[in-house]
Amino acid sequence: MKRKTKLIHGGISGDAHTGAVNVPIYQVSTYKQEGVGNHKGFEYSRTGNPTRHALEELIKDLEDGKRGFAFSSGMAAITAVMMLFKQGDHILLTDDVYGGTFRVITKVLNKFGIEATFIDTSSISNIQEAIQSNTVALYIETPTNPLLKITDIKAASALAKEHGLLTIVDNTFSTPYFQTPLPLGADIVLHSATKYLGGHSDVVSGLVVVNDDDLGSDLHFIQNSTGGILGPNDSWLLIRGIKTLGIRMEEHERSAQEIVSFLSTHPQVEKIYYPGLPAHPNHEISRQQALGFGGMISFDVGSEEKAANLLSKLKYFTLAESLGAVESLISVPAKMTHASIPKERRAELGITDGLVRISVGLEDVDDLIEDLKQALE
Ligand SMILES: Cc1ncc(COP(=O)(O)O)c(C=O)c1O
């Protein structure tokens, strides 16, 4: 099945009982049992719900994995994955991960004795050097949010495997339409499905796919035990969003490429981050491991004042957290999504106060460029 077909016919399509072409919303918490333990596969909706199950089957197919899981947010998904580890375990993570990931690791999971080191995983030798005797996992975000750094998934997971580590990839920015980390060697892939997978700024959710039955059982145990599940309405919204993921991603990327060309020559733009630029340090790796460079662009206008000035003049770019939606969104990571990262650390990473991140939406790209042009001037 080709990628666009899989988005529509992957997982479970329709309803076998009625012939409905869409999976219905099973707004139900519990299920009748004919005798104790004698049921039709569902007993309680925290453990399993047919609408959520259809979504979990779909994301499993899209990521070429063994088992999928839907959570109430990307952070719930990340936290559930981290629950696979125990006190004294050490995890290596990409240094400019999403601010919320940094926060849960350094302010919540640290209390449970899970140790972590943040490194620039775009260099494989950095990973090699940071592995400790108690390291159990390598957590990669690629492309990263907001600096769009790229890690070589194949090389990183091969190294991780040599050392007995699990490789976890946050695939939010690329989506399985452009990048599938499991066939490249990763063990677990996860998403903030709030972003491109949902695509319409109307649902908060997280998805996880694993490539191994035992990992699948462990994660289901955690999902059922900790309970951060996605409800049936939101599961249905995600299934609907995913059907158009292919055409959306292609259009996001086409427009992003045009905007990057415009920004690259603009005198007000000091630095631009986009993996599709040949000058991007890991452009070739991105080209090899992904089928597209995506619709996210970050650029530095040099100062907080200039960034504020730009934001105040834009008409079509909505100032908002989040990304991956039909409407173009703009944010200042240092003040918004990455405010939970200490200022000195942000400075080290290059997340300056003048850094602006845009999520290119599906508006006409001429309007978007015109808007940026008048605002930058
Ligand atoms: C790359 C990445 N991972 C994880 C998350 C967390 O997801 P959520 O906001 O759905 O909890 C985000 C949110 O912005 C993100 O950008």
Side-chain angles (χ1 to χ4, degrees):
M1 221 190 291
K2 294 266 200 300
R3 286 178 303 149
K4 276 198 192 114
T5 313
K6 221 182 198 185
L7 295 169
I8 293 158
H9 295 283
I12 295 168
S13 18
D15 178 37
H17 302 297
T18 60
V21 296
N22 292 322
V23 173
I25 302 171
Y26 283 90
Q27 191 68 50
V28 60
S29 62
T30 195
Y31 307 79
K32 182 181 171 190
Q33 306 195 7
E34 297 304 332
V36 178
N38 178 11
H39 53 74
K40 297 188 168 75
F42 296 94
E43 46 193 323
Y44 186 61
S45 280
R46 171 160 38 73
T47 317
N49 169 282
T51 317
R52 191 177 94 224
H53 178 61
L55 169 65
E56 292 176 332
E57 286 294 293
L58 175 59
I59 192 66
K60 175 202 78 178
D61 284 356
L62 298 182
E63 288 287 6
D64 278 331
K66 282 260 167 75
R67 197 153 169 193
F69 300 92
F71 293 90
S72 53
S73 68
M75 288 320 302
I78 292 168
T79 305
V81 167
M82 292 300 164
M83 294 286 120
L84 290 166
F85 308 119
K86 59 180 194 316
Q87 185 179 21
D89 284 348
H90 172 251
I91 301 167
L92 290 174
L93 296 99
T94 302
D95 52 7
D96 65 332
V97 281
Y98 167 61
T101 308
F102 180 82
R103 180 173 54 198
V104 77
I105 297 279
T106 57
K107 298 254 165 64
V108 180
L109 295 165
N110 61 327
K111 292 191 221 158
F112 298 88
I114 293 176
E115 298 168 19
T117 308
F118 293 84
I119 50 164
D120 180 355
T121 54
S122 64
S123 149
I124 298 296
S125 60
N126 281 350
I127 305 177
Q128 172 94 54
E129 282 161 25
I131 296 173
Q132 304 177 178
S133 57
N134 60 339
T135 308
V136 292
L138 171 65
Y139 182 105
I140 302 166
E141 196 176 293
T142 183
T144 58
N145 177 6
L147 294 175
L148 298 146
K149 281 199 215 163
I150 302 288
T151 294
D152 183 336
I153 300 172
K154 206 171 186 177
S157 9
L159 176 67
K161 220 147 256 149
E162 261 175 49
H163 292 266
L165 322 182
L166 282 180
T167 304
I168 304 160
V169 178
D170 184 331
N171 201 23
T172 300
F173 273 34
S174 290
T175 83
Y177 188 71
F178 279 158
Q179 176 171 280
T180 46
L182 299 182
L184 293 172
D187 301 288
I188 302 177
V189 58
L190 56 86
H191 293 273
S192 167
T194 314
K195 313 294 167 7
Y196 288 108
L197 291 168
H200 296 75
S201 305
D202 53 12
V203 59
V204 174
S205 59
L207 296 173
V208 181
V209 181
V210 299
N211 70 347
D212 171 90
D213 290 329
D214 289 342
L215 264 181
S217 304
D218 290 350
L219 205 56
H220 184 253
F221 183 81
I222 291 167
Q223 187 192 39
N224 189 38
S225 304
T226 57
I229 49 146
L230 192 65
N233 262 292
D234 286 347
S235 297
W236 183 89
L237 274 173
L238 263 191
I239 295 172
R240 186 167 80 157
I242 288 172
K243 288 182 204 289
T244 56
L245 181 69
I247 52 170
R248 286 190 284 109
M249 289 312 288
E250 286 175 7
E251 184 68 9
H252 285 303
E253 167 161 281
R254 240 189 320 271
S255 297
Q257 299 266 18
E258 286 196 39
I259 292 174
V260 165
S261 303
F262 162 74
L263 292 174
S264 299
T265 55
H266 200 286
Q268 297 289 342
V269 176
E270 295 191 356
K271 199 158 182 195
I272 174 157
Y273 302 84
Y274 184 68
L277 277 172
H280 183 287
N282 277 342
H283 172 70
E284 266 317 309
I285 290 167
S286 178
R287 182 188 289 288
Q288 283 160 27
Q289 71 184 11
L291 294 160
F293 300 111
M296 297 300 300
I297 307 165
S298 293
F299 58 99
D300 206 318
V301 289
S303 71
E304 187 176 345
E305 294 68 38
K306 285 186 179 172
N309 197 29
L310 170 72
L311 298 178
S312 69
K313 291 189 186 146
L314 286 167
K315 281 188 305 201
Y316 298 129
F317 288 84
T318 306
L319 176 64
E321 307 244 355
S322 204
L323 58 105
V326 292
E327 55 282 321
S328 290
L329 300 174
I330 188 159
S331 68
V332 180
K335 304 280 164 201
M336 300 167 75
T337 47
H338 291 66
S340 51
I341 296 179
K343 192 173 167 59
E344 318 75 66
R345 181 147 183 80
R346 286 201 308 263
E348 274 165 33
L349 295 171
I351 306 175
T352 63
D353 291 349
L355 186 78
V356 176
R357 187 194 76 183
I358 55 177
S359 167
V360 179
L362 301 182
E363 301 90 343
D364 192 307
V365 67
D366 292 343
D367 284 335
L368 296 179
I369 291 176
E370 202 45 52
D371 198 19
L372 284 166
K373 196 172 182 182
Q374 62 81 23
L376 281 165
E377 272 157 20

